[in-house]
């Protein structure tokens, strides 16, 4: 039996089979952003979150590698009846906040994975590199606006509908942008140009969004 690795790296994929709902506390950050604070058992959270840790000495991944010695130290600390008052920040693919009930509902789908399955399955997928992750965050608002204006809402099926015309988008070009905020914005701009063209074509065609649903 070989010696276990000193560090844990690479992707950890989770899946949410069914939607979940949490009582949350909204936290406003600046004028445009809202975060939602909620609690969840670590064992449950682990099942449905995905983590893309950095590879040692590589520019792959965006979450730092995990040292096994650190895991053992934390485990021993908790076993001694201590608590760790820290938060974990996660990004969800789909969420809806009900201000009357004070609850946040998150869905089980992943529209990017569904639309760009071939790119998603690659071991070096651009989506799990800093430039790809940042670019997707920069185009989020464009996609959200189109879904809510032309579709029936912001469900996974609505997102897939508006992304479908760009299902053959060449993400390889994003790898040539380098890294950093400027690279993420340039990569996003490439997508936004093609996305704007597809939106214009869709609208000029006069076809209602509901007729474009994937079967």
């Amino acid at each position: 039996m070989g010696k276990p690795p000193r560090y844990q790296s690479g992707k950890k994929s989770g899946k949410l089979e069914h939607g979940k709902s949490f009582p949350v506390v909204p936290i406003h950050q600046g004028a445009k952003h809202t975060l939602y604070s909620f609690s969840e058992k670590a064992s449950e959270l682990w099942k449905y979150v995905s983590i893309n840790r950095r590879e040692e000495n590589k520019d792959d991944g965006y979450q730092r590698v995990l040292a096994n010695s650190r895991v053992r130290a934390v485990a021993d600390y908790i076993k001694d009846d201590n608590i760790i008052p820290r938060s974990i920040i996660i990004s969800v693919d789909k969420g809806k906040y009900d201000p009357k009930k004070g609850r946040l509902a998150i869905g089980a789908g992943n529209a990017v994975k569904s639309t760009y399955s071939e790119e998603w399955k690659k071991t070096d997928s651009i989506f799990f590199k800093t430039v790809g992750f940042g670019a997707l965050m920069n185009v989020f608002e464009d996609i959200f606006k189109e879904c809510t204006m032309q579709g029936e809402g912001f469900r996974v099926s609505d997102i897939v509908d508006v992304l479908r015309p760009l299902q053959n988008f060449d993400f390889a070009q994003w790898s040539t942008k380098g890294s950093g905020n400027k690279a993420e914005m340039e990569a996003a701009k490439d997508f936004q140009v093609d996305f704007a063209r597809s939106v214009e074509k869709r609208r000029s065609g006069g076809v209602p969004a509901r007729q474009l649903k994937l079967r």
Side-chain angles (χ1 to χ4, degrees):
M1 202 172 168
K3 185 178 180 180
R6 183 178 178 185
Y7 297 101
Q8 297 180 35
S9 60
K11 287 189 246 181
K12 178 268 173 186
S13 298
K15 185 176 181 181
L16 183 60
E17 298 290 350
H18 305 285
K20 293 180 70 71
S21 176
F22 305 94
V24 298
V25 176
I27 302 172
H28 301 289
Q29 186 178 59
K32 298 181 178 180
H33 305 287
T34 303
L35 308 178
Y36 298 93
S37 177
F38 66 93
S39 63
E40 171 69 297
K41 289 183 178 179
S43 57
E44 290 298 314
L45 188 65
W46 179 257
K47 294 177 183 178
Y48 58 83
V49 298
S50 295
I51 305 170
N52 192 35
R53 305 184 188 96
R54 275 193 175 279
E55 296 285 353
E56 289 188 89
N57 304 317
K58 294 183 181 180
D59 190 31
D60 296 334
Y62 48 83
Q63 179 67 42
R64 67 183 180 181
V65 296
L66 182 63
N68 289 339
S69 59
R70 177 64 173 165
V71 173
R72 288 191 295 269
V74 172
D76 291 339
Y77 182 81
I78 295 175
K79 288 177 181 178
D80 287 337
D81 291 328
N82 296 301
I83 62 172
I84 303 178
R86 298 293 298 275
S87 62
I88 298 175
I89 299 175
I90 64 173
S91 173
V92 299
D93 297 306
K94 177 185 176 185
K96 185 176 181 180
Y97 175 61
D98 185 336
K100 293 183 178 179
K101 296 181 179 179
R103 298 186 70 88
L104 176 70
I106 61 176
N110 188 313
V112 173
K113 181 179 180 180
S114 299
T115 310
Y116 306 110
S117 58
E118 292 303 312
E119 177 64 33
W120 186 278
K121 288 186 293 186
K122 294 179 180 178
T123 56
D124 61 343
S125 174
I126 192 67
F127 298 141
F128 295 101
K129 295 182 179 180
T130 52
V131 64
F133 184 79
L136 288 176
M137 292 300 98
N138 283 321
V139 301
F140 173 83
E141 186 174 353
D142 301 79
I143 298 171
F144 178 80
K145 286 182 178 179
E146 182 59 19
C147 285
T148 53
M149 289 176 64
Q150 299 295 319
E152 298 176 7
F154 196 59
R155 303 168 302 180
V156 170
S157 58
D158 297 312
I159 303 172
V160 171
D161 278 346
V162 299
L163 292 179
R164 188 180 185 187
L166 275 73
Q167 60 184 357
N168 294 318
F169 183 82
D170 181 18
F171 289 102
Q173 58 184 308
W174 283 9
S175 299
T176 66
K177 304 296 182 181
S179 59
N181 186 59
K182 183 179 180 180
E184 294 168 10
M185 293 178 68
E186 288 181 354
K189 187 175 181 180
D190 288 342
F191 187 90
Q192 287 168 325
V193 170
D194 286 359
F195 184 69
R197 289 173 181 165
S198 71
V199 168
E200 181 62 28
K201 183 177 181 180
R202 174 174 176 164
R203 292 179 181 175
S204 63
V207 181
R210 61 178 179 276
Q211 294 185 22
L212 295 176
K213 297 292 182 186
L214 291 177
R215 302 300 182 188

